[in-house]
Amino acid sequence: MKQIFILFLLAFVIVACGGGEDAPSEAPKTAKAEKKPEINTKKIWKVRCIACHGIDGTMGTNGAANLQESDKDMDYRINIITNGSENGIMTAFGEILSEEEIKAMAQFTMDLRK
């Protein structure tokens, strides 16, 4: 009777702990948790930029730059998105967007060029 109880207890522990190699490991969950979410530049553009720059970057409302014709480099774009323009036309987004989002948006505006 004691042997049956020990076997039953052992079987219970094995089942309760997952009991085999078929059980999913914790490593993929950790790897997925560390993966950064993809930045949705189109959504940011629609929410933050489209009112002044328009759908394709050419609208120019309130003196906004035509981004299809702009020859500004990546560093300039990152700076102006982060800090805004000196004349106050461009809003600063440094406290609204993350550094990664700002870089992604600067690249998005570079891709609008003709």
Side-chain angles (χ1 to χ4, degrees):
M1 182 71 170
K2 190 175 183 181
Q3 291 175 335
I4 294 174
F5 177 75
I6 292 173
L7 287 174
F8 177 78
L9 184 61
L10 183 59
F12 177 78
V13 170
I14 291 172
V15 170
C17 294
E21 295 178 26
D22 293 336
S25 69
E26 294 299 315
K29 289 182 184 177
T30 304
K32 288 181 183 176
E34 292 175 11
K35 183 179 177 185
K36 294 181 182 180
E38 189 172 318
I39 297 171
N40 188 340
T41 54
K42 290 181 182 181
K43 182 177 180 181
I44 295 171
W45 182 262
K46 287 178 184 176
V47 172
R48 307 280 182 199
C49 311
I50 203 168
C52 295
H53 291 287
I55 293 172
D56 60 359
T58 61
M59 192 159 83
T61 301
N62 298 325
N66 180 333
L67 298 173
Q68 285 192 11
E69 295 177 356
S70 176
D71 61 353
K72 303 298 183 190
D73 65 12
M74 193 67 171
D75 290 335
Y76 176 88
R77 291 167 191 253
I78 289 170
N79 181 54
I80 202 159
I81 294 169
T82 303
N83 302 310
S85 61
E86 289 181 15
N87 62 10
I89 292 174
M90 173 72 182
T91 302
F93 290 99
E95 294 184 14
I96 298 169
L97 301 174
S98 71
E99 186 176 330
E100 292 81 15
E101 289 172 323
I102 290 170
K103 288 178 183 176
M105 292 310 299
Q107 184 59 55
F108 183 87
T109 64
M110 293 285 283
D111 295 342
L112 290 173
R113 294 187 301 178
K114 291 181 179 179

